[in-house]
Amino acid sequence: MAGASERDRIVTYSPSYTLVATHACFNRCTYCNFRVDLGQDPGLDGATAGRQLAGLAAQGISEVLILSGEVHPRHPGRPAWMERLVGLAQLALEQDLLPHTNAGPLTWAEMGQLRQVNVSLGLMLEQVTPALLTGVHRHAPSKRPDLRQQQLDWAGRWRIPFTTGLLLGIGETPKDWVDTLDAIAHSHRRWGHIQEVILQPYQPGHGQTAVLPPFPVDQLPEVVALARRLLPAEVVIQIPPNLIGRPDVLLACLEAGARDLGGIGLLDVINPDYPQPAVRQLKALLATGGWVLQPRLPLYPIHDTWLPSHLQARVQGWRKTMLSRADLQTSLPIG
């Protein structure tokens, strides 16, 4: 029983580094701090990305999060954009790093392409209510709930380990939280592919065109408890510590059922106004509540066999070295 109790008090995070393929995006979500207009960002080239990734694996960083603004599905530059995403993932693999890409809705074929060079993929469902299409998403065609729900199911059909989540405080209601969590749970029960569900509280930033009130973080433990009731037990609930900002709320979220803090690196490029806490600080905070913080890979062990064989070998190599590098991570600048 003591061993089971200790396991119940483990909280994970992913030592990560973020590559931004491009900030240019055809959507205009009013709350976004990430996007720029098309043509304002030429995109990340391979030489620059290679220099950024060099030596990260030796520092204990395992995940490369590849983020991108979205390209219209009929834009003539979309094939080149997809080629860039694949190339960045290949560069990460060459540096013995494990890529996880989140680049908006993909075609069926594009998802299959990225499956060959990523250990997992992600896309925020945000909220399934169509009401937001006349609010914060009125100039964001790819935020259609049916389109994003389709992505969850396609990922399951491709057997792609997947991360999704809710964005909280963008005009939705508590009933919308239930509907969105139910949609995620339904997809996972069919395919078994959802690794984590992120509960991301909206916080204002400098790049937004319309600033909404911040999500009241006092409510976040309540949403965590709701998610824990509605999601299958094996789906991990993730919370972003830099957007919570209050130690008491973070600990309350863990007591309510959250068990992961997401990727921790030098910068949250989606919310640059909110610095990432150092891993050593998080470890000390969690210890006050009897929690133990441990690193993880961007692929959960249950899904290892879903990967193409060449990716399975890389993941297994990391699994063998992760524990031996745990002490090193606590001394890094990111932790």
mmCIF file of all heavy atoms in Angstrom, residues 87-114:
data_model
loop_
_atom_site.group_PDB
_atom_site.id
_atom_site.type_symbol
_atom_site.label_atom_id
_atom_site.label_comp_id
_atom_site.label_asym_id
_atom_site.label_seq_id
_atom_site.Cartn_x
_atom_site.Cartn_y
_atom_site.Cartn_z
ATOM 1 N N GLY A 87 10.745 18.669 -41.797
ATOM 2 C CA GLY A 87 12.185 18.879 -41.700
ATOM 3 C C GLY A 87 12.635 19.231 -40.297
ATOM 4 O O GLY A 87 13.683 18.762 -39.837
ATOM 5 N N LEU A 88 11.858 20.059 -39.590
ATOM 6 C CA LEU A 88 12.218 20.408 -38.213
ATOM 7 C C LEU A 88 12.159 19.179 -37.301
ATOM 8 O O LEU A 88 13.020 18.992 -36.433
ATOM 9 C CB LEU A 88 11.289 21.500 -37.685
ATOM 10 C CG LEU A 88 11.444 22.880 -38.332
ATOM 11 C CD1 LEU A 88 10.376 23.847 -37.806
ATOM 12 C CD2 LEU A 88 12.840 23.448 -38.092
ATOM 13 N N ALA A 89 11.151 18.347 -37.511
ATOM 14 C CA ALA A 89 11.069 17.126 -36.708
ATOM 15 C C ALA A 89 12.245 16.204 -37.004
ATOM 16 O O ALA A 89 12.818 15.590 -36.083
ATOM 17 C CB ALA A 89 9.746 16.421 -36.977
ATOM 18 N N GLN A 90 12.633 16.108 -38.253
ATOM 19 C CA GLN A 90 13.785 15.270 -38.606
ATOM 20 C C GLN A 90 15.066 15.815 -37.979
ATOM 21 O O GLN A 90 15.904 15.042 -37.490
ATOM 22 C CB GLN A 90 13.917 15.192 -40.126
ATOM 23 C CG GLN A 90 12.836 14.355 -40.782
ATOM 24 C CD GLN A 90 12.879 14.405 -42.295
ATOM 25 O OE1 GLN A 90 13.309 15.414 -42.886
ATOM 26 N NE2 GLN A 90 12.430 13.341 -42.941
ATOM 27 N N LEU A 91 15.216 17.135 -37.958
ATOM 28 C CA LEU A 91 16.380 17.731 -37.302
ATOM 29 C C LEU A 91 16.416 17.373 -35.821
ATOM 30 O O LEU A 91 17.483 17.065 -35.265
ATOM 31 C CB LEU A 91 16.347 19.249 -37.462
ATOM 32 C CG LEU A 91 16.870 19.839 -38.763
ATOM 33 C CD1 LEU A 91 16.596 21.342 -38.789
ATOM 34 C CD2 LEU A 91 18.364 19.570 -38.911
ATOM 35 N N ALA A 92 15.255 17.425 -35.186
ATOM 36 C CA ALA A 92 15.193 17.065 -33.766
ATOM 37 C C ALA A 92 15.620 15.617 -33.558
ATOM 38 O O ALA A 92 16.399 15.305 -32.650
ATOM 39 C CB ALA A 92 13.784 17.299 -33.232
ATOM 40 N N LEU A 93 15.138 14.725 -34.401
ATOM 41 C CA LEU A 93 15.508 13.314 -34.280
ATOM 42 C C LEU A 93 17.007 13.121 -34.479
ATOM 43 O O LEU A 93 17.642 12.309 -33.788
ATOM 44 C CB LEU A 93 14.727 12.480 -35.294
ATOM 45 C CG LEU A 93 13.222 12.346 -35.029
ATOM 46 C CD1 LEU A 93 12.534 11.698 -36.220
ATOM 47 C CD2 LEU A 93 12.962 11.542 -33.758
ATOM 48 N N GLU A 94 17.584 13.874 -35.412
ATOM 49 C CA GLU A 94 19.027 13.775 -35.647
ATOM 50 C C GLU A 94 19.825 14.211 -34.431
ATOM 51 O O GLU A 94 20.976 13.779 -34.237
ATOM 52 C CB GLU A 94 19.413 14.621 -36.863
ATOM 53 C CG GLU A 94 18.904 14.059 -38.187
ATOM 54 C CD GLU A 94 19.055 15.048 -39.327
ATOM 55 O OE1 GLU A 94 19.674 16.123 -39.116
ATOM 56 O OE2 GLU A 94 18.540 14.765 -40.430
ATOM 57 N N GLN A 95 19.235 15.069 -33.592
ATOM 58 C CA GLN A 95 19.901 15.524 -32.371
ATOM 59 C C GLN A 95 19.509 14.672 -31.163
ATOM 60 O O GLN A 95 19.745 15.061 -30.017
ATOM 61 C CB GLN A 95 19.542 16.995 -32.098
ATOM 62 C CG GLN A 95 20.034 17.969 -33.152
ATOM 63 C CD GLN A 95 21.512 18.264 -33.018
ATOM 64 O OE1 GLN A 95 22.176 17.784 -32.108
ATOM 65 N NE2 GLN A 95 22.055 19.055 -33.939
ATOM 66 N N ASP A 96 18.916 13.501 -31.429
ATOM 67 C CA ASP A 96 18.499 12.574 -30.372
ATOM 68 C C ASP A 96 17.441 13.192 -29.471
ATOM 69 O O ASP A 96 17.404 12.962 -28.254
ATOM 70 C CB ASP A 96 19.694 12.095 -29.538
ATOM 71 C CG ASP A 96 19.351 10.884 -28.680
ATOM 72 O OD1 ASP A 96 18.439 10.131 -29.082
ATOM 73 O OD2 ASP A 96 19.961 10.699 -27.607
ATOM 74 N N LEU A 97 16.548 13.974 -30.064
ATOM 75 C CA LEU A 97 15.442 14.585 -29.346
ATOM 76 C C LEU A 97 14.130 14.017 -29.889
ATOM 77 O O LEU A 97 14.079 13.493 -31.000
ATOM 78 C CB LEU A 97 15.481 16.108 -29.508
ATOM 79 C CG LEU A 97 16.729 16.771 -28.925
ATOM 80 C CD1 LEU A 97 16.934 18.158 -29.524
ATOM 81 C CD2 LEU A 97 16.618 16.864 -27.406
ATOM 82 N N LEU A 98 13.063 14.141 -29.117
ATOM 83 C CA LEU A 98 11.778 13.541 -29.463
ATOM 84 C C LEU A 98 10.778 14.636 -29.828
ATOM 85 O O LEU A 98 10.365 15.408 -28.966
ATOM 86 C CB LEU A 98 11.255 12.709 -28.283
ATOM 87 C CG LEU A 98 12.195 11.611 -27.786
ATOM 88 C CD1 LEU A 98 11.591 10.914 -26.575
ATOM 89 C CD2 LEU A 98 12.508 10.604 -28.887
ATOM 90 N N PRO A 99 10.384 14.713 -31.096
ATOM 91 C CA PRO A 99 9.498 15.798 -31.531
ATOM 92 C C PRO A 99 8.031 15.552 -31.183
ATOM 93 O O PRO A 99 7.537 14.419 -31.256
ATOM 94 C CB PRO A 99 9.684 15.831 -33.057
ATOM 95 C CG PRO A 99 10.779 14.865 -33.370
ATOM 96 C CD PRO A 99 10.860 13.912 -32.219
ATOM 97 N N HIS A 100 7.362 16.648 -30.843
ATOM 98 C CA HIS A 100 5.909 16.688 -30.667
ATOM 99 C C HIS A 100 5.438 17.947 -31.378
ATOM 100 O O HIS A 100 5.855 19.055 -31.036
ATOM 101 C CB HIS A 100 5.544 16.738 -29.178
ATOM 102 C CG HIS A 100 4.099 17.062 -28.909
ATOM 103 N ND1 HIS A 100 3.160 16.083 -28.639
ATOM 104 C CD2 HIS A 100 3.420 18.242 -28.881
ATOM 105 C CE1 HIS A 100 1.977 16.659 -28.450
ATOM 106 N NE2 HIS A 100 2.118 17.974 -28.590
ATOM 107 N N THR A 101 4.577 17.801 -32.380
ATOM 108 C CA THR A 101 4.161 18.938 -33.199
ATOM 109 C C THR A 101 2.719 19.312 -32.923
ATOM 110 O O THR A 101 1.843 18.453 -32.818
ATOM 111 C CB THR A 101 4.340 18.617 -34.698
ATOM 112 O OG1 THR A 101 5.733 18.447 -34.976
ATOM 113 C CG2 THR A 101 3.799 19.741 -35.578
ATOM 114 N N ASN A 102 2.482 20.632 -32.841
ATOM 115 C CA ASN A 102 1.139 21.197 -32.746
ATOM 116 C C ASN A 102 1.086 22.351 -33.734
ATOM 117 O O ASN A 102 1.663 23.413 -33.498
ATOM 118 C CB ASN A 102 0.857 21.671 -31.319
ATOM 119 C CG ASN A 102 -0.585 22.100 -31.112
ATOM 120 O OD1 ASN A 102 -1.231 22.611 -32.013
ATOM 121 N ND2 ASN A 102 -1.088 21.912 -29.899
ATOM 122 N N ALA A 103 0.410 22.127 -34.855
ATOM 123 C CA ALA A 103 0.418 23.114 -35.941
ATOM 124 C C ALA A 103 -0.973 23.368 -36.501
ATOM 125 O O ALA A 103 -1.114 23.792 -37.654
ATOM 126 C CB ALA A 103 1.345 22.642 -37.061
ATOM 127 N N GLY A 104 -2.008 23.113 -35.703
ATOM 128 C CA GLY A 104 -3.360 23.334 -36.176
ATOM 129 C C GLY A 104 -3.911 22.132 -36.912
ATOM 130 O O GLY A 104 -3.265 21.091 -37.021
ATOM 131 N N PRO A 105 -5.138 22.248 -37.431
ATOM 132 C CA PRO A 105 -5.760 21.136 -38.140
ATOM 133 C C PRO A 105 -4.960 20.703 -39.368
ATOM 134 O O PRO A 105 -4.412 21.531 -40.093
ATOM 135 C CB PRO A 105 -7.132 21.691 -38.556
ATOM 136 C CG PRO A 105 -7.419 22.756 -37.544
ATOM 137 C CD PRO A 105 -6.087 23.385 -37.255
ATOM 138 N N LEU A 106 -4.901 19.399 -39.580
ATOM 139 C CA LEU A 106 -4.135 18.799 -40.658
ATOM 140 C C LEU A 106 -5.063 17.979 -41.547
ATOM 141 O O LEU A 106 -6.131 17.535 -41.111
ATOM 142 C CB LEU A 106 -3.049 17.881 -40.083
ATOM 143 C CG LEU A 106 -2.072 18.506 -39.088
ATOM 144 C CD1 LEU A 106 -1.322 17.414 -38.340
ATOM 145 C CD2 LEU A 106 -1.101 19.443 -39.799
ATOM 146 N N THR A 107 -4.636 17.752 -42.771
ATOM 147 C CA THR A 107 -5.352 16.797 -43.603
ATOM 148 C C THR A 107 -5.022 15.384 -43.124
ATOM 149 O O THR A 107 -4.065 15.165 -42.363
ATOM 150 C CB THR A 107 -4.967 16.939 -45.080
ATOM 151 O OG1 THR A 107 -3.598 16.522 -45.248
ATOM 152 C CG2 THR A 107 -5.122 18.377 -45.571
ATOM 153 N N TRP A 108 -5.790 14.432 -43.600
ATOM 154 C CA TRP A 108 -5.528 13.037 -43.262
ATOM 155 C C TRP A 108 -4.114 12.637 -43.666
ATOM 156 O O TRP A 108 -3.379 12.021 -42.897
ATOM 157 C CB TRP A 108 -6.571 12.160 -43.944
ATOM 158 C CG TRP A 108 -6.327 10.694 -43.833
ATOM 159 C CD1 TRP A 108 -5.791 9.874 -44.781
ATOM 160 C CD2 TRP A 108 -6.612 9.851 -42.709
ATOM 161 N NE1 TRP A 108 -5.724 8.578 -44.332
ATOM 162 C CE2 TRP A 108 -6.230 8.534 -43.062
ATOM 163 C CE3 TRP A 108 -7.157 10.078 -41.451
ATOM 164 C CZ2 TRP A 108 -6.367 7.453 -42.192
ATOM 165 C CZ3 TRP A 108 -7.306 9.002 -40.579
ATOM 166 C CH2 TRP A 108 -6.910 7.716 -40.950
ATOM 167 N N ALA A 109 -3.716 13.018 -44.897
ATOM 168 C CA ALA A 109 -2.387 12.651 -45.386
ATOM 169 C C ALA A 109 -1.289 13.360 -44.610
ATOM 170 O O ALA A 109 -0.243 12.767 -44.309
ATOM 171 C CB ALA A 109 -2.271 12.974 -46.877
ATOM 172 N N GLU A 110 -1.494 14.636 -44.261
ATOM 173 C CA GLU A 110 -0.486 15.372 -43.491
ATOM 174 C C GLU A 110 -0.279 14.747 -42.119
ATOM 175 O O GLU A 110 0.852 14.655 -41.624
ATOM 176 C CB GLU A 110 -0.912 16.830 -43.347
ATOM 177 C CG GLU A 110 -0.813 17.627 -44.630
ATOM 178 C CD GLU A 110 -1.492 18.978 -44.539
ATOM 179 O OE1 GLU A 110 -2.253 19.215 -43.564
ATOM 180 O OE2 GLU A 110 -1.279 19.801 -45.439
ATOM 181 N N MET A 111 -1.350 14.290 -41.517
ATOM 182 C CA MET A 111 -1.226 13.637 -40.221
ATOM 183 C C MET A 111 -0.365 12.378 -40.343
ATOM 184 O O MET A 111 0.481 12.088 -39.476
ATOM 185 C CB MET A 111 -2.618 13.305 -39.687
ATOM 186 C CG MET A 111 -2.691 13.095 -38.195
ATOM 187 S SD MET A 111 -4.400 12.995 -37.580
ATOM 188 C CE MET A 111 -4.748 14.729 -37.296
ATOM 189 N N GLY A 112 -0.561 11.661 -41.428
ATOM 190 C CA GLY A 112 0.256 10.478 -41.656
ATOM 191 C C GLY A 112 1.718 10.813 -41.878
ATOM 192 O O GLY A 112 2.608 10.084 -41.419
ATOM 193 N N GLN A 113 1.983 11.927 -42.577
ATOM 194 C CA GLN A 113 3.370 12.365 -42.761
ATOM 195 C C GLN A 113 4.031 12.667 -41.426
ATOM 196 O O GLN A 113 5.154 12.217 -41.156
ATOM 197 C CB GLN A 113 3.413 13.637 -43.626
ATOM 198 C CG GLN A 113 3.240 13.443 -45.106
ATOM 199 C CD GLN A 113 3.344 14.779 -45.818
ATOM 200 O OE1 GLN A 113 2.359 15.485 -46.020
ATOM 201 N NE2 GLN A 113 4.559 15.146 -46.175
ATOM 202 N N LEU A 114 3.365 13.439 -40.598
ATOM 203 C CA LEU A 114 3.963 13.841 -39.323
ATOM 204 C C LEU A 114 4.086 12.659 -38.369
ATOM 205 O O LEU A 114 4.975 12.647 -37.499
ATOM 206 C CB LEU A 114 3.141 14.961 -38.691
ATOM 207 C CG LEU A 114 3.234 16.315 -39.409
ATOM 208 C CD1 LEU A 114 2.371 17.351 -38.711
ATOM 209 C CD2 LEU A 114 4.680 16.802 -39.489
#
